[in-house]
Amino acid sequence: MTVAQEPSALQFECETGNYHTFCPISCVAWLYQKIEDSFFLVIGTKTCGYFLQNAMGVMIFAEPRYAMAELEEGDISAQLNDYEELKRLCLQIKRDRNPSVIVWIGTCTTEIIKMDLEGLAPKLEAELGIPIVTARANGLDYAFTQGEDTVLASMVHKCPEGVKQEEEKEERNAIQKLMAFGRKKEDVKAEQAEYATHPPLVLFGSLPDPVVTNLTLELKKQGIQVSGWLPSKRYTELPVIQEGYYVAGVNPFLSRTATTFMRRRKCKLIGAPFPIGPDGTRAWIEKICSVFNIEPKGLAEREAQIWESLEDYVKLIRGKSVFFMGDNLLEISLARFLIRCGMSCPEIGIPYMDKRYQAAELALLEKTCQEMGVPLPTIVEKPDNYNQIQRIYELKPDLVITGMAHANPLEARGINTKWSVEFTFAQIHGFTNARDILELATRPLRRNNNLKDLGWEKLVKESAKV
Amino acid sequence: MKLAYWMYAGPAHIGTLRIASSFKNVHAIMHAPLGDDYFNVMRSMLERERNFTPVTASVVDRNVLARGSQEKVVENIVRKDQEENPDLIVLTPTCTSSILQEDLQNFVERAQMDAQGDVMLADVNHYRFNELQAADRTLGQIVQYYIEKARKKGDLPESKTEKPSVNIIGVTTLGFHNQHDCTELKRLMKDLGIEVNEVFPEGASVNNLKNLPRAWFNLVPYREIGLTAARYLEQEFAMPYIDITPMGVVETARCIRKIQQIINAQGADVDYEEFINEQTLYVSQAAWFSRSIDCQNLTGKKAVVFGDNTHAAALTKVLAREMGIHVVLAGTYCKYDADWFREQVSEYCDEILISDDNAEIGNAIARLEPSAIFGTQMERHVGKRLDIPCGVIAAPIHIQNFPIGYKPFCGYEGTNQIADLVYNSFTLGMEDHLLEIFGGHDTKEVITKSVSANSDLNWNKEAQGELNKIPGFVRGKVKRNTEKFARERGMNEITLEVMYAAKEAVGA
């Protein structure tokens, strides 16, 4: 491996924050699907509602378990009583849907008019007999996936502290129950013996159920037992959290949740790279093992085997360059994986960079660059899309990972793009799903390879500027 | 507070942005929190726009809440002015800025001192207006601004064009089939010997707005957007305007006759009767269609119509007056303009529904059980749930409602497109019905791989004859079901008896 001549540490910059991303309330779209007995009530304006309806497209037609509490002029000027209004709507929700939890999503408007959702919730909760979780997922403070972070951080408070009886514990532990399904008690006990002795581990981050099972089993192979996930499939199955438990994140945008676990519930955070890509997955497992003093088994072979199976995709992107405009906070992990695939990456845009929570991921990124002999990327926090587009024109990257606002215009100018939001909804975690990431990342290149002899790259008449 | 899942018209700023980004070289700056710029996504996705949408946000964040946003807004306007040299920058308030109550007009004035281009504040209140009202207002505001600017500079043209001419007002980005309508209207004007003076806002330059008074009259094809501008021009320059939507054969003729009247009053001396006759009888297929056997079969079929004022009213009239279809309910979500709608459709339908509550419309459809629905994407999904076909005639719309092919709703080609849409919706319903009678969808086990089911089974003469009577689109299915039935029972000749037995068996 050649050592790069470039600066030996990552460069961090911060621009103007004039960039395009989704509003964090979009998290309801995947969280209501994940938490099956929940109902999400977004307390905001027509602007919020129109965003959900348009950005989340057809999902809305499937009678979703979310709705807008649309604020009217009377609500803004406090002619109407917030408490009474919310009570009326929540009663209706209770009657129509009977959820196990109502999640209130605070928005920019509730922030500005200082509606005290956190204060109202416990009172209404007592009156209605339904737990109410409040999350301030607003565009004043957060970007896109950080919405999930605010919801999960609020849910940490709702996780039970202890269990009186073993039964109840089993009741709560969905994964364990799932894996013990249809087996005798003795078998379950025998299975317990397959695990090493280690303090309870709870994982956090919302992932599709197949991915949850996949990562859980991956840890099981190392003798590590997952005591619970936040969020679980149902609100009623939230994991038990006690002082001294270990927690590990599966996604890079969950820094508030991590902080809440540490500060409010006295848990120990395992700071690891995220299980995205075979390299990330291996590092994630290794870090968890090392914390529990377990010698990881067979990981190197497993990783090598995955890389081998990826070769057909990897050869399409090896030696090419990728530019992240930044909008969902997955950027560092994805860039690290793509660099390991042999790409170079001049710039990683990212809405918000928590250097503590992502420390291990950043270290792995640095190491990966050195091992692959590519220059360290510049990490641009709160990017400025206009400036980025000028840089894209200069650098001419082979692939730009960007939001939909810029994707078509860049394609029309002969620049390959991948829509970044797809990475949020696709299954990208663990060894098994590495192929899906590359399926996404190489799609524009494969498509444009098919069209390359047609002379149709640039489809706009050149006017000097953007 | 209102519990809402769905909304028909978007928030006010969407309307302003639609107007601003329709013009060439006009940039909108939204005073909004992060994430409110999803308008760019909509435009880039739905319209498959090749260019960057000229909309940026001046982001409202915590710091702005603490310090006020004056510096930031002014800076952003001036910066955009330098980067892209737009003719006009429209500062666009959102729900957030409506509550912050900052003096945006003052920021505009400050920014104007440093900016080369013009700077304007869109005068829309989030809590008072919806997308359509805001679009109409913003368009009126921009027209007024440039007329007054020209007047001050003494730039206003003195005279009308030599030949009769028209301004077409209200063609916008993200408007339902607006691009195609615009092409069709231009073609219609050409056929009528009328020059098109200006089309705006779509593709227009604000610098040309001063030429508006040169036209003999204004045409406002859509009820929702353009009337404010047209009324302003009428008031300032006594320019007559026509607000008859040329959609459907009868309304197109009415619109043309009105044009004739208006330009003759200004000395044109034209007679369009022959043109209307020629188009109606021989060029447009819609009049002939309504006379044909196909359309005869639609007589008295029940339909529900729902959409914006323009399209719901036009479709109601086309269905009832031109095709003999029984419109059991016509509705609009343009509550603010409900009287106009009532007046337009009251004689063509049984019931009128003015509402923007999707559940209310869904319930009405379930209650009335029409054979077809003509509505928005939301009604299409209601139809899916209730198994009723739906033709989409108005926004809110999805990407499939931005077709690449030429599909106007206005003018004579528009009448053809509407006829196809209506006919296809109903036949699909009929096909579904027949499929049910003859044994269901492809959920049944297939007996042969190929579609045509070439088989060793022998159909006798009568059975073959009977098979041939079955409408083409379900014939294959009936044939396959019957053959499957016969094969299972070891029969090798298919007779009429076998056919009926098969039909009964499948039905059972």
Side-chain angles (χ1 to χ4, degrees):
Chain A
M1 299 287 163
T2 51
V3 177
Q5 299 300 304
E6 311 291 322
S8 56
L10 289 165
Q11 300 286 303
F12 292 92
E13 281 175 18
C14 186
E15 279 190 303
T16 61
N18 280 325
Y19 65 104
H20 165 76
T21 182
F22 276 167
C23 173
I25 60 172
S26 51
C27 69
V28 305
W30 65 87
L31 287 177
Y32 90 79
Q33 293 186 345
K34 173 71 193 177
I35 309 171
E36 288 170 1
D37 53 353
S38 62
F39 191 98
F40 284 77
L41 184 68
V42 182
I43 305 162
T45 61
K46 246 183 184 330
T47 308
C48 313
Y50 205 60
F51 163 70
L52 284 174
Q53 158 176 336
N54 283 292
M56 298 305 129
V58 286
M59 275 197 252
I60 206 155
F61 295 115
E63 297 226 351
R65 293 183 318 280
Y66 75 80
M68 290 294 307
E70 197 183 314
L71 299 167
E72 292 164 299
E73 206 163 9
D75 298 301
I76 304 302
S77 52
Q79 285 161 343
L80 297 166
N81 180 315
D82 299 339
Y83 182 78
E84 289 304 323
E85 291 295 299
L86 283 169
K87 185 176 156 188
R88 185 169 57 81
L89 301 192
C90 288
L91 268 172
Q92 192 182 332
I93 292 165
K94 186 184 174 187
R95 204 174 52 229
D96 295 349
R97 308 292 176 102
N98 192 29
S100 308
V101 62
I102 297 178
V103 183
W104 286 352
I105 303 288
T107 60
C108 305
T109 311
T110 57
E111 284 300 309
I112 296 169
I113 64 173
K114 297 193 170 29
M115 193 184 278
D116 181 20
L117 297 177
E118 281 89 349
L120 296 172
K123 276 192 261 173
L124 200 54
E125 190 172 86
E127 204 170 332
L128 290 178
I130 295 183
I132 295 173
V133 172
T134 50
R136 303 176 171 206
N138 63 68
L140 293 170
D141 300 307
Y142 304 108
F144 196 14
T145 49
Q146 287 180 291
E148 174 180 323
D149 192 23
T150 64
V151 173
L152 296 190
S154 300
M155 281 201 178
V156 170
H157 296 286
K158 300 276 183 179
C159 289
E161 302 221 9
V163 274
K164 285 174 198 138
Q165 292 164 340
E166 268 310 294
E167 292 157 37
E168 198 186 336
K169 187 174 182 180
E170 247 165 54
E171 189 84 344
R172 292 192 168 282
N173 195 328
I175 307 294
Q176 209 174 325
K177 211 171 101 184
L178 190 76
M179 302 210 305
F181 182 74
R183 272 179 267 169
K184 292 194 195 111
K185 212 164 194 178
E186 302 84 72
D187 293 344
V188 176
K189 281 227 178 88
E191 197 164 90
Q192 296 284 345
E194 290 173 26
Y195 295 111
T197 319
H198 63 81
L201 170 69
V202 171
L203 301 179
F204 59 93
S206 167
L207 294 178
D209 294 332
V211 185
V212 168
T213 313
N214 188 269
L215 288 180
T216 307
L217 290 174
E218 213 63 74
L219 287 172
K220 190 185 166 195
K221 282 186 194 153
Q222 305 299 333
I224 295 168
Q225 187 173 21
V226 180
S227 314
W229 279 78
L230 180 78
S232 37
K233 249 173 104 70
R234 301 178 66 80
Y235 177 77
T236 48
E237 292 164 355
L238 282 182
V240 172
I241 304 287
Q242 287 176 342
E243 188 170 340
Y245 275 29
Y246 280 81
V247 292
V250 296
N251 266 325
F253 44 76
L254 298 171
S255 51
R256 278 174 68 89
T257 311
T259 313
T260 314
F261 269 122
M262 290 191 289
R263 300 216 178 124
R264 309 300 293 269
R265 303 301 289 266
K266 307 277 182 274
C267 293
K268 290 175 188 151
L269 176 70
I270 301 174
F274 301 98
I276 292 169
D279 49 339
T281 308
R282 177 180 171 188
W284 183 71
I285 298 172
E286 278 178 345
K287 184 64 192 287
I288 295 173
C289 285
S290 80
V291 169
F292 293 148
N293 281 318
I294 293 168
E295 185 65 37
K297 301 179 289 270
L299 278 182
E301 297 77 14
R302 187 82 209 273
E303 192 196 348
Q305 190 192 342
I306 297 290
W307 280 115
E308 207 173 301
S309 72
L310 296 179
E311 181 53 28
D312 54 336
Y313 277 136
V314 169
K315 70 178 181 221
L316 292 171
I317 50 173
R318 195 172 282 134
K320 299 221 154 70
S321 59
V322 57
F323 187 109
F324 285 85
M325 285 186 77
D327 71 346
N328 59 14
L329 285 93
L330 294 171
E331 292 87 1
I332 303 288
S333 309
L334 289 172
R336 178 259 303 149
F337 169 55
L338 291 177
I339 291 169
R340 177 60 74 186
C341 291
M343 296 188 92
S344 60
C345 178
E347 173 165 336
I348 308 176
I350 187 168
Y352 169 72
M353 183 73 244
D354 185 334
K355 287 188 202 162
R356 279 206 302 172
Y357 177 64
Q358 294 223 45
E361 184 63 84
L362 286 169
L364 182 58
L365 170 67
E366 213 172 313
K367 185 168 154 242
T368 303
C369 289
Q370 277 152 7
E371 286 178 4
M372 300 303 292
V374 296
L376 289 162
T378 308
I379 295 172
V380 180
E381 208 179 341
K382 297 171 107 202
D384 184 294
N385 282 165
Y386 182 86
N387 296 343
Q388 283 185 314
I389 286 165
Q390 310 309 314
R391 293 198 288 269
I392 287 170
Y393 288 156
E394 270 167 41
L395 291 164
K396 300 191 173 55
D398 297 300
L399 179 66
V400 175
I401 297 185
T402 180
M404 201 60 193
H406 299 111
N408 269 339
L410 285 172
E411 287 284 349
R413 284 158 182 77
I415 295 162
N416 300 321
T417 61
K418 183 74 226 141
W419 186 30
S420 55
V421 174
E422 286 191 70
F423 291 104
T424 323
F425 293 118
Q427 303 190 353
I428 61 170
H429 291 75
F431 287 121
T432 322
N433 292 319
R435 206 175 165 79
D436 292 42
I437 307 177
L438 289 182
E439 163 69 29
L440 288 178
T442 59
R443 192 177 297 157
L445 303 173
R446 284 180 285 131
R447 198 269 313 267
N448 293 345
N449 270 346
N450 293 341
L451 309 181
K452 71 171 186 283
D453 297 330
L454 297 171
W456 292 346
E457 280 86 35
K458 290 200 177 161
L459 294 150
V460 281
K461 287 179 189 157
E462 213 46 70
S463 58
K465 284 198 150 188
V466 184
Chain B
M1 274 181 218
K2 200 169 84 179
L3 196 65
Y5 298 89
W6 252 118
M7 58 193 62
Y8 283 96
H13 70 266
I14 298 285
T16 297
L17 297 181
R18 276 177 59 188
I19 297 301
S21 56
S22 294
F23 279 108
K24 260 192 308 207
N25 214 22
V26 170
H27 202 101
I29 294 186
M30 300 168 65
H31 185 235
L34 198 63
D36 274 1
D37 59 350
Y38 58 81
F39 175 79
N40 299 30
V41 177
M42 288 171 59
R43 189 156 180 272
S44 178
M45 283 181 81
L46 297 177
E47 295 233 303
R48 273 175 229 95
E49 182 54 60
R50 299 175 198 217
N51 288 311
F52 292 96
T53 300
V55 173
T56 38
S58 174
V59 178
V60 177
D61 58 16
R62 284 283 155 191
N63 293 330
V64 165
L65 291 192
R67 287 197 318 224
S69 47
Q70 165 153 349
E71 233 171 89
K72 200 167 180 180
V73 171
V74 173
E75 233 169 63
N76 278 323
I77 294 175
V78 174
R79 178 184 159 188
K80 198 43 74 181
D81 182 67
Q82 286 164 357
E83 282 170 356
E84 310 209 5
N85 309 310
D87 297 324
L88 169 68
I89 291 177
V90 180
L91 180 60
T92 309
T94 58
C95 56
T96 307
S97 50
S98 282
I99 324 170
L100 288 176
Q101 298 192 321
E102 286 185 284
D103 189 357
L104 295 180
Q105 185 59 49
N106 176 34
F107 303 170
V108 162
E109 278 154 27
R110 282 273 312 277
Q112 183 66 84
M113 291 193 278
D114 293 324
Q116 300 298 306
D118 299 315
V119 188
M120 164 193 293
L121 172 67
D123 176 25
V124 288
N125 178 327
H126 174 90
Y127 293 94
R128 305 272 163 88
F129 304 116
N130 71 16
E131 169 187 354
L132 299 169
Q133 293 165 289
D136 184 58
R137 282 177 74 88
T138 304
L139 185 57
Q141 200 187 343
I142 293 177
V143 168
Q144 182 172 356
Y145 182 93
Y146 280 97
I147 293 289
E148 277 170 15
K149 188 177 170 188
R151 185 174 278 151
K152 249 181 241 155
K153 283 168 74 180
D155 257 0
L156 279 181
E158 296 288 321
S159 58
K160 299 280 175 199
T161 54
E162 199 177 315
K163 283 193 195 152
S165 62
V166 61
N167 299 317
I168 300 175
I169 309 181
V171 178
T172 62
T173 188
L174 290 173
F176 182 73
H177 291 239
N178 274 21
Q179 307 271 13
H180 306 302
D181 281 349
C182 181
T183 307
E184 185 63 21
L185 288 175
K186 282 191 203 160
R187 179 189 289 176
L188 180 64
M189 292 306 135
K190 194 172 171 229
D191 288 348
L192 296 174
I194 294 171
E195 282 173 8
V196 175
N197 186 48
E198 294 288 338
V199 178
F200 68 97
E202 184 62 43
S205 160
V206 287
N207 296 324
N208 291 351
L209 290 177
K210 62 173 187 287
N211 297 330
L212 291 180
R214 283 175 57 80
W216 289 30
F217 70 104
N218 292 314
L219 176 62
V220 186
Y222 308 114
R223 174 74 191 171
E224 291 78 16
I225 299 174
L227 276 181
T228 300
R231 286 186 187 130
Y232 169 77
L233 291 170
E234 182 186 45
Q235 184 194 318
E236 292 295 310
F237 305 101
M239 289 177 79
Y241 69 86
I242 296 173
D243 60 353
I244 300 165
T245 305
M247 207 176 283
V249 179
V250 179
E251 291 297 288
T252 302
R254 196 157 77 90
C255 180
I256 294 172
R257 291 195 180 101
K258 184 77 185 173
I259 293 173
Q260 174 181 322
Q261 183 200 332
I262 279 179
I263 59 175
N264 280 349
Q266 297 176 55
D269 188 30
V270 291
D271 183 357
Y272 291 139
E273 284 309 322
E274 180 137 351
F275 173 79
I276 293 172
N277 204 41
E278 174 79 11
Q279 290 286 328
T280 304
L281 297 185
Y282 310 115
V283 179
S284 158
Q285 297 294 315
W288 157 235
F289 170 76
S290 63
R291 187 76 204 184
S292 72
I293 303 301
D294 289 340
C295 193
Q296 209 177 80
N297 287 336
L298 301 181
T299 307
K301 287 240 176 303
K302 290 201 290 183
V304 164
V305 182
F306 192 83
D308 59 9
N309 268 357
T310 303
H311 294 88
L315 255 288
T316 302
K317 290 182 206 169
V318 169
L319 292 174
R321 192 163 57 185
E322 298 177 18
M323 296 183 180
I325 288 161
H326 181 186
V327 180
V328 283
L329 178 133
T332 177
Y333 54 82
C334 297
K335 283 159 80 175
Y336 62 94
D337 197 17
D339 292 342
W340 180 86
F341 186 76
R342 278 202 195 86
E343 182 207 311
Q344 293 291 309
V345 302
S346 51
E347 56 178 306
Y348 301 108
C349 62
D350 300 350
E351 205 180 311
I352 293 174
L353 176 64
I354 311 288
S355 172
D356 54 5
D357 177 0
N358 181 234
E360 199 179 342
I361 292 123
N363 290 341
I365 292 172
R367 167 171 59 82
L368 294 164
E369 292 188 74
S371 311
I373 309 167
F374 298 92
T376 70
Q377 278 292 339
M378 280 125 104
E379 281 68 47
R380 192 171 73 83
H381 283 268
V382 171
K384 257 191 188 168
R385 253 203 323 260
L386 300 174
D387 260 338
I388 301 170
C390 177
V392 174
I393 56 150
I397 37 183
H398 284 168
I399 194 149
Q400 66 262 42
N401 303 114
F402 289 87
I404 301 171
Y406 186 53
K407 291 202 160 56
F409 269 62
C410 285
Y412 285 109
E413 178 55 26
T415 64
N416 294 339
Q417 297 293 335
I418 293 173
D420 275 343
L421 179 78
V422 171
Y423 184 59
N424 289 341
S425 302
F426 277 108
T427 31
L428 285 176
M430 185 65 82
E431 177 177 12
D432 227 36
H433 186 60
L434 284 173
L435 284 174
E436 201 149 287
I437 294 172
F438 288 104
H441 280 99
D442 281 332
T443 48
K444 300 270 152 58
E445 195 188 330
V446 282
I447 42 167
T448 51
K449 281 236 169 86
S450 69
V451 179
S452 62
N454 288 330
S455 66
D456 48 351
L457 282 167
N458 185 25
W459 287 66
N460 77 8
K461 216 174 165 190
E462 291 85 351
Q464 188 64 50
E466 189 70 14
L467 183 68
N468 289 343
K469 284 186 217 154
I470 292 166
F473 50 87
V474 283
R475 196 178 300 142
K477 179 141 300 195
V478 173
K479 187 168 181 226
R480 275 198 300 278
N481 276 333
T482 312
E483 290 186 354
K484 189 183 160 210
F485 176 86
R487 221 173 252 129
E488 280 167 357
R489 282 159 187 76
M491 304 162 174
N492 47 22
E493 188 177 72
I494 291 172
T495 60
L496 276 180
E497 283 77 6
V498 176
M499 262 185 102
Y500 293 133
K503 192 177 149 191
E504 282 156 25
V506 171

